[in-house]
Amino acid sequence: MGGGPLPYCVARLYCTSMTIPVLRVLIVADDPLARAGVAALLAAEPQVTVSGSTGSDEEPAVAQAAFAPDIVIWDLGWDAAARIDALSRFCDECDLPVLALVADGRLAADVRAAGGRGLLNRSASGAQLAAAAVALAHDLLVFADELLPVGAIAVQPGGESLMFEALSARELDVLHDLAEGLSNKQIARSLSISEHTVKFHINAILGKLGAQSRTEAVVRATRAGIILL
């Protein structure tokens, strides 16, 4: 598993996550090498500790009782479609946030429907996995930008669903700067683009999030777990 930027919705949280209690993580994967790989990546991350690991054939209630995890990281392997049913059963029987790891994003909607609250590439780094675990512990959704499907449904902790079209990487950059309170001129300077382009991206963000103002866009994005204030 390699490096790369953090999923946008948890990048800022990672900077302050040292202040929260250490999270207990249960690793689920049918491949023993995959379980060992995820455990090795997390070993260097102070925000989390691995409480145990198991295959997808383990009874969910038994695994929860045995390892008492706060978060589950589930490596669905290369044939993720074959493990969606097991993921769904686990999510139904255990009230635990599940971060799913996949080889590509074609099953993003299926993972969400099965109850997964996060979705990262199998190539995610230890820092990305730990940051995602912290975000899930704060009742946020976590999706790598390239895995977030168009028309995704984000569920707030209170149960309300927000449907929105996935934002592009540049739109996420602009949204992040909006959340920081930057003006159009400051955003343009920050991203090395013109103010006209900034206005274009802001209009696109408002349309995709169904917002009437910059402030409402930031609020809706925060509630959906896209950014953290």
Side-chain angles (χ1 to χ4, degrees):
M1 295 188 178
L6 293 173
Y8 205 89
C9 56
V10 297
R12 296 173 63 200
L13 176 61
Y14 180 68
C15 298
T16 59
S17 58
M18 290 289 291
T19 62
I20 73 167
V22 175
L23 298 173
R24 293 171 58 84
V25 175
L26 170 63
I27 300 169
V28 179
D30 288 334
D31 183 352
L33 291 178
R35 295 199 295 267
V38 173
L41 289 173
L42 294 178
E45 303 302 326
Q47 304 95 328
V48 298
T49 184
V50 177
S51 64
S53 62
T54 185
S56 63
D57 56 346
E58 177 69 83
E59 287 295 321
V62 173
Q64 184 173 16
F67 302 113
D70 301 303
I71 302 291
V72 176
I73 296 180
W74 192 310
D75 188 335
L76 293 171
W78 293 103
D79 186 14
R83 296 172 176 84
I84 292 296
D85 286 345
L87 173 63
S88 179
R89 184 166 65 93
F90 189 98
C91 292
D92 285 343
E93 296 184 21
C94 294
D95 186 22
L96 289 169
V98 176
L99 171 67
L101 307 181
V102 298
D104 60 60
R106 289 177 293 181
L107 291 176
D110 291 333
V111 170
R112 280 292 299 124
R117 292 188 57 81
L119 188 67
L120 296 184
N121 281 305
R122 297 185 75 220
S123 59
S125 68
Q128 290 173 323
L129 296 176
V134 172
L136 264 63
H138 283 75
D139 292 323
L140 298 177
L141 299 177
V142 178
F143 287 88
D145 294 342
E146 67 274 15
L147 299 179
L148 186 62
V150 173
I153 298 176
V155 182
Q156 301 180 59
E160 180 185 352
S161 294
L162 301 174
M163 181 171 285
F164 56 91
E165 182 180 351
L167 303 181
S168 69
R170 179 57 83 189
E171 288 163 356
L172 287 169
D173 289 336
V174 173
L175 181 60
H176 171 78
D177 283 348
L178 287 178
E180 295 287 349
L182 272 61
S183 66
N184 287 5
K185 181 178 293 186
Q186 290 171 318
I187 294 173
R189 186 181 305 115
S190 169
L191 301 178
S192 299
I193 57 179
S194 69
E195 288 188 59
H196 175 79
T197 301
V198 171
K199 292 178 181 179
F200 174 82
H201 286 311
I202 290 176
N203 286 335
I205 291 168
L206 296 180
K208 289 182 176 182
L209 296 181
Q212 300 299 315
S213 67
R214 299 155 68 107
T215 300
E216 184 182 359
V218 171
V219 170
R220 290 178 67 84
T222 303
R223 289 176 176 172
I226 302 174
I227 58 174
L228 184 73
L229 293 179

